[in-house]
Amino acid sequence: MLRSNREKQQAFEFVSIEDLVPQDHLLRKVDKYIDFSFIDEKVRPLYCSDNGRPAIDPVVLFKMIFLGYFYGIRSERQLEREVQTNLAYRWFLGLGLTDKVPDHSTISWNRRTRFKDTNIFQDIFDEIVLQAISHRMVGGRVLVSDSTHVKANANKHQYTKQQVLQNTKDYVDELNAAVEADRKNHGKKPLKPREEVKEEKEIKVSKTDPDSGYMIRDGKPEGFFYLDHRTVDLKYNLITDVHVTPGNVHDSVPYLSRLDRQQERFGFEVEAIALDSGYLTTPICRGLQDRKIFAVIAHRRFHSKQGLFPKWKFTFDAEQEMYICPAGQGLKYRTTDRKGYQQYASDPEQCKSCPFLNQCTQSKNHRKVVTRHVWEDSKDWVRNNRLSKSGKQLYRKRKETIERSFADAKELHGFRYCRLRGLPNVREQALMTAAVQNMKKMAIHLDHREKRG
């Protein structure tokens, strides 16, 4: 005899939502090991104390936001519907079976008004990192950094072209001083002061999301993107820094300032770092050496003109301060230019009869010129670190840490695409995604630790 369960569903039952949520559910672990009480203190100055209607508990509001990032729910409308029907979500928010779920428009309104132009999302991310430090899950000694592209909510065919000023390099004063000192050491006259020239370049600006940047990179998709610059701690692969830029900003531009921020904000005493080849620039190598941090940066191979000797064929003799070409001739120092490059040139009279001339230079005057940056020693130092035993071990950890962190963000937390438009909104998405990744990892690890005793 067939029976229907419809009658059972219409019967009244006395149940507790506490009993309906599995004991091993992820949200139980998060609620147990993550302290959310700091949220009320952080947002209190943003609320009016003696006017207006009673507000939704800020902890409930942010827990609802966290749910969206925990489970990759892409819109507030969908999030509201999911909370209405999911018992675990209701339990996490402290709602009963019949309690009204906060309206999706509440989250949108707070983002557009109350939280606009504030650091609330950065503060929340930082507090989660501080909790990880208190649980000894972040050491701050060995860090790994990289960036990943996140597709902007913009059509790559809808754009205008604009002329913008080139980025002013933050190390220009230090470089000018180094050039001046190098020229003086070589008996050269100081360079004449040059009027500041504002260099411009043409870029594509999206009509739908002007904050995004048009990205063109080898092996990467072309279009409007943002870059999520992220740093993880090697100890438990927890994220310690998140910074978002348009997709046309080079990886190396914000790196040193973000490294300094972590040391100041969390008191890190960084001993070693591992970076991808995109960070192999002379200023970064110099900056890390000055900070006395063991740096391992992937090699970036430059291809010389076809048929000509690559630069590594020319050996630098530090004692004689000259380059030695494959034929044994010395290339002597000539000058140091404004960009910090020392020029070493050969003797054209010797080059004329050299059997390797056609493989060495295509210059009409038969002179070979090799350049070396005034901070090239720092780059050599990084290169030697990479080739050392400890350097090789450290770099192997890079793909197991930072690459895994990006993969989890995209596959499990919906960070493959930008939900909203504008740099502040994308920054919020990046910070909250990283925060829930940290929460999840912390909760699972602390739960295992407690069960092991």
Coordinates of all heavy atoms in Angstrom, one line a residue, residues 408-436:
D408 N 41.5 28.1 -4.3 CA 40.4 27.9 -3.4 C 39.5 29.1 -3.5 O 38.2 28.9 -3.5 CB 40.9 27.8 -2.0 CG 41.5 26.4 -1.7 OD1 41.3 25.5 -2.6 OD2 42.1 26.2 -0.6
A409 N 40.0 30.3 -3.6 CA 39.2 31.5 -3.7 C 38.3 31.5 -4.9 O 37.1 31.9 -4.9 CB 40.1 32.8 -3.7
K410 N 38.9 31.0 -6.0 CA 38.1 31.0 -7.3 C 37.1 29.9 -7.4 O 36.0 30.0 -7.9 CB 39.1 31.0 -8.5 CG 39.9 32.3 -8.6 CD 40.8 32.3 -9.8 CE 41.5 33.6 -10.0 NZ 42.3 33.8 -11.2
E411 N 37.6 28.7 -7.0 CA 36.7 27.5 -7.2 C 35.7 27.4 -6.1 O 34.6 26.9 -6.4 CB 37.6 26.2 -7.1 CG 38.5 26.1 -8.3 CD 37.8 25.9 -9.6 OE1 36.7 25.3 -9.6 OE2 38.2 26.5 -10.7
L412 N 36.0 27.8 -4.9 CA 35.0 27.5 -3.8 C 34.3 28.8 -3.3 O 33.3 28.6 -2.6 CB 35.8 26.9 -2.6 CG 36.6 25.6 -2.9 CD1 37.3 25.1 -1.7 CD2 35.6 24.5 -3.4
H413 N 34.8 29.9 -3.6 CA 34.3 31.2 -3.0 C 33.9 32.2 -4.0 O 33.7 33.4 -3.6 CB 35.3 31.7 -2.0 CG 35.7 30.8 -0.9 ND1 34.8 30.5 0.2 CD2 36.8 30.0 -0.7 CE1 35.4 29.6 1.0 NE2 36.6 29.3 0.5
G414 N 33.8 31.8 -5.2 CA 33.2 32.7 -6.3 C 34.1 33.9 -6.6 O 33.5 34.9 -7.0
F415 N 35.4 33.8 -6.5 CA 36.2 34.9 -6.7 C 36.9 34.9 -8.1 O 37.8 35.6 -8.4 CB 37.4 35.0 -5.7 CG 38.0 36.4 -5.6 CD1 37.3 37.5 -5.6 CD2 39.4 36.5 -5.5 CE1 37.9 38.8 -5.5 CE2 40.0 37.7 -5.4 CZ 39.3 38.8 -5.4
R416 N 36.3 34.2 -9.0 CA 36.7 34.2 -10.4 C 36.3 35.4 -11.1 O 36.9 35.9 -12.1 CB 36.3 32.9 -11.1 CG 37.0 32.6 -12.4 CD 36.5 31.3 -13.0 NE 36.8 30.2 -12.2 CZ 38.0 29.6 -12.1 NH1 39.0 30.0 -12.9 NH2 38.2 28.6 -11.3
Y417 N 35.1 36.0 -10.7 CA 34.6 37.1 -11.3 C 34.2 38.2 -10.3 O 33.9 37.8 -9.1 CB 33.3 36.8 -12.1 CG 33.5 35.7 -13.1 CD1 33.1 34.4 -12.8 CD2 34.0 36.0 -14.4 CE1 33.3 33.4 -13.8 CE2 34.2 35.0 -15.3 CZ 33.8 33.7 -15.0 OH 34.0 32.7 -15.9
C418 N 34.2 39.4 -10.6 CA 33.8 40.5 -9.7 C 32.3 40.6 -9.7 O 31.6 40.6 -10.7 CB 34.4 41.8 -10.2 SG 36.2 41.9 -10.2
R419 N 31.8 40.6 -8.4 CA 30.4 40.7 -8.3 C 29.8 42.0 -8.6 O 28.8 42.2 -9.2 CB 30.0 40.4 -6.8 CG 30.3 39.0 -6.3 CD 29.9 38.8 -4.9 NE 30.2 37.5 -4.4 CZ 29.9 37.1 -3.2 NH1 29.4 37.9 -2.3 NH2 30.2 35.8 -2.8
L420 N 30.6 43.1 -8.2 CA 30.1 44.4 -8.4 C 31.2 45.2 -9.2 O 32.3 44.7 -9.5 CB 29.9 45.1 -7.1 CG 28.8 44.4 -6.2 CD1 28.8 45.0 -4.8 CD2 27.4 44.6 -6.9
R421 N 30.9 46.5 -9.5 CA 31.8 47.3 -10.2 C 32.4 48.4 -9.3 O 31.8 48.8 -8.3 CB 31.1 48.0 -11.4 CG 30.6 47.1 -12.4 CD 29.6 47.7 -13.3 NE 29.0 46.8 -14.3 CZ 28.0 47.0 -15.1 NH1 27.3 48.1 -15.0 NH2 27.6 46.0 -15.9
G422 N 33.6 48.8 -9.6 CA 34.3 49.8 -8.8 C 35.3 49.2 -7.9 O 35.1 48.2 -7.3
L423 N 36.5 49.9 -7.8 CA 37.6 49.4 -7.0 C 37.2 49.2 -5.5 O 37.6 48.1 -4.9 CB 38.7 50.4 -7.0 CG 40.0 50.0 -6.4 CD1 40.6 48.7 -7.0 CD2 41.1 51.1 -6.5
P424 N 36.4 50.1 -4.8 CA 36.0 49.8 -3.4 C 35.2 48.5 -3.3 O 35.4 47.8 -2.3 CB 35.2 51.0 -3.0 CG 35.7 52.1 -4.0 CD 36.0 51.4 -5.3
N425 N 34.3 48.2 -4.2 CA 33.5 47.0 -4.1 C 34.3 45.8 -4.4 O 34.1 44.7 -3.7 CB 32.4 47.1 -5.1 CG 31.3 48.1 -4.7 OD1 31.1 48.4 -3.5 ND2 30.7 48.8 -5.7
V426 N 35.3 45.8 -5.3 CA 36.1 44.7 -5.6 C 37.1 44.5 -4.4 O 37.4 43.3 -4.0 CB 36.9 44.9 -6.9 CG1 37.9 43.7 -7.2 CG2 36.0 45.1 -8.1
R427 N 37.5 45.6 -3.8 CA 38.4 45.4 -2.6 C 37.6 44.7 -1.5 O 38.2 43.9 -0.8 CB 38.9 46.8 -2.2 CG 39.9 46.8 -1.0 CD 40.2 48.1 -0.5 NE 40.9 48.9 -1.6 CZ 40.5 50.0 -2.1 NH1 39.3 50.5 -1.7 NH2 41.2 50.6 -3.0
E428 N 36.4 45.1 -1.3 CA 35.5 44.4 -0.3 C 35.4 42.9 -0.6 O 35.6 42.1 0.3 CB 34.1 45.0 -0.3 CG 33.2 44.3 0.6 CD 31.7 44.5 0.3 OE1 31.4 45.6 -0.2 OE2 30.9 43.7 0.6
Q429 N 35.2 42.6 -1.9 CA 35.1 41.2 -2.2 C 36.4 40.4 -2.0 O 36.3 39.3 -1.5 CB 34.7 41.0 -3.7 CG 34.4 39.6 -4.2 CD 34.0 39.5 -5.6 OE1 33.8 40.5 -6.3 NE2 33.9 38.3 -6.1
A430 N 37.5 41.0 -2.3 CA 38.8 40.4 -2.1 C 39.1 40.2 -0.6 O 39.5 39.1 -0.2 CB 39.9 41.2 -2.7
L431 N 38.8 41.2 0.2 CA 39.1 41.1 1.6 C 38.2 40.1 2.3 O 38.6 39.3 3.2 CB 38.9 42.5 2.3 CG 40.0 43.5 2.0 CD1 39.6 44.9 2.4 CD2 41.3 43.1 2.7
M432 N 36.9 40.1 2.0 CA 36.0 39.2 2.6 C 36.2 37.8 2.2 O 36.0 36.8 3.0 CB 34.5 39.7 2.4 CG 34.1 41.0 3.0 SD 34.2 41.0 4.8 CE 35.8 41.6 5.1
T433 N 36.6 37.6 0.9 CA 36.9 36.2 0.5 C 38.1 35.7 1.2 O 38.1 34.6 1.7 CB 37.2 36.2 -1.0 OG1 36.0 36.7 -1.8 CG2 37.6 34.8 -1.5
A434 N 39.1 36.5 1.4 CA 40.3 36.1 2.1 C 40.0 35.9 3.6 O 40.5 34.9 4.2 CB 41.4 37.1 1.9
A435 N 39.1 36.7 4.1 CA 38.8 36.6 5.6 C 38.1 35.2 5.8 O 38.4 34.5 6.8 CB 37.9 37.7 6.0
V436 N 37.1 34.8 5.0 CA 36.4 33.6 5.2 C 37.3 32.4 4.9 O 37.2 31.3 5.6 CB 35.1 33.5 4.4 CG1 34.2 34.6 4.7 CG2 35.4 33.5 2.9

